[in-house]
Amino acid sequence: MIQVSINNQLEALDTHCTVLKALEILGYQKTNMLGVAINQTYIPKDQWAETELNDQDKIDILNPVSGG
Amino acid sequence: MSDSWDVYGVELTSRFFIGSALYPSPEIMQQAIIASKADVITLSLRRQSPENKGGEQFWDFIKNLGCHLLPNTAGCHSPKEAIAIAEMSRDIFQTDWIKLEVIGDDYNLQPDPFGLLEATEALIKRGFKVFPYSTDDLVLCQRLQDLGCEVIMPWGSPIGTAKGLMNPYALETIRQRLPDVNLLVDAGIGKPSDACQAMELGFNGVLLNTAVAEAVDPVTMADAFAKSIEAGRYAYQSGIMPARESASPSTPTIGTPFWHQN
């Protein structure tokens, strides 16, 4: 198992869990409107399926909101 | 009177960039944006948990307005954070426009000039069209133009303070010294006369959010700002007379009755 922080919440996931798998496990559906960064580095959508998460990674999952 | 202008190769008709935050409801936000006749809307990205559907609802209100999207990097304190948010925004909103904000102080949300330059250079290299939220420092604005910015957005005063244009002299100097760049005042505008003043100084446009969203009647206020921005623009185009020290009668003096030169 690995332990990661997702939007500042600690989550335990299987070793070799990919970004795409994590999104599914956590219940994110409309992924076309999502952005993912690992340790403040942006991960393009086309890399979600093969990008594996590592222990202690900090993941941010963002989506559109209002802004000034 | 068509007064369109070119922003990074896109022709815009309105000189009003409007924000999408702080409105009492999504419906009022939508109506205010329509009333503003703005071509450009700013928006952002934030963390969202799976169960919170707020993001999708917001997006449904925005995407049908037919405006250009200008995502921001609000809340970023380092070039690295801003670059990551910019790349996510490009992917999600399908635009290479980015309102670049690198915040240097959490009390007045002042831009960090050094981080701003670093992030600007990196983002331009990655093909972004950068709209930097800047201070009204002439040298900083010159450097931003040197890096390739075709738009620069100096603040009028701190975000959300409604203090208007703190330093019109500095803004006017930037206009005169950088005649070819598109300039917008971004931040601190509180009332339509502030926006009109910015346009009278020769700025190409105004970006504001709080002053409309937190008005008692945001929809009518959006219309008021649209008219004041237009008025200031026409005034600038008409050539505003310079102020002078001594009075000068507006009524012709020749043939003044009852007056005898002794």
Side-chain angles (χ1 to χ4, degrees), chain B residues 6-46:
Chain B
D6 178 282
V7 174
Y8 282 116
V10 173
E11 187 180 354
L12 301 179
T13 50
S14 166
R15 288 166 179 277
F16 189 174
F17 286 20
I18 193 165
S20 57
L22 306 173
Y23 293 88
S25 73
E27 290 78 11
I28 289 180
M29 171 195 70
Q30 198 176 49
Q31 290 162 32
I33 290 170
I34 293 167
S36 75
K37 300 188 185 66
D39 294 327
V40 177
I41 312 175
T42 58
L43 65 175
S44 200
L45 288 176
R46 281 293 176 268

